Amino acid sequence: LSDIGADVTSWGIANKIERWLARHDGQVNLVNENVVAEWIKTAQKALVSISAYERRQVRDYACTILGIVCGIEHTVIFQIGDGAIV
């Protein structure tokens, strides 16, 4: 089920990033820890909803999140879970 978790989180976070950047004229420099936390909370809520609907534990959908948002002069990198961003 982690493949479902990965699909839900990657599509959900990518959508949040795209909408956030559109609202902020692509200014990656405005992204901060609180913004990234909101993106991740959205994905967590989706996983909680899916697990409740499927009557599974949310941990059954566990996955690693690696994110990079690049602008012309700024880059934001975030990670939750194991692995590495190099």
Side-chain angles (χ1 to χ4, degrees), residues 17 28 31-33 36 39-40 65-71 74-80 84-86:
I17 292 169
V28 176
V31 177
N32 60 38
E33 189 174 327
V36 173
W39 296 342
I40 292 168
I65 299 170
L66 303 170
I68 300 174
V69 182
C70 297
H74 295 89
T75 300
V76 174
I77 301 170
F78 58 95
Q79 174 179 339
I80 299 210
I85 297 177
V86 178

Side-chain angles (χ1 to χ4, degrees), residues 18-75:
E18 183 178 11
R19 291 189 342 220
W20 190 93
L21 289 172
R23 282 194 317 271
H24 294 88
D25 297 321
Q27 295 184 53
V28 176
N29 62 306
L30 298 178
V31 177
N32 60 38
E33 189 174 327
N34 294 329
V35 172
V36 173
E38 286 302 315
W39 296 342
I40 292 168
K41 283 179 191 174
T42 299
Q44 288 173 325
K45 288 177 186 176
L47 292 179
V48 168
S49 294
I50 290 169
S51 66
Y53 180 78
E54 295 292 332
R55 297 183 182 181
R56 305 289 303 226
Q57 297 292 318
V58 72
R59 69 175 172 261
D60 293 338
Y61 300 92
C63 62
T64 297
I65 299 170
L66 303 170
I68 300 174
V69 182
C70 297
I72 294 171
E73 295 182 13
H74 295 89
T75 300

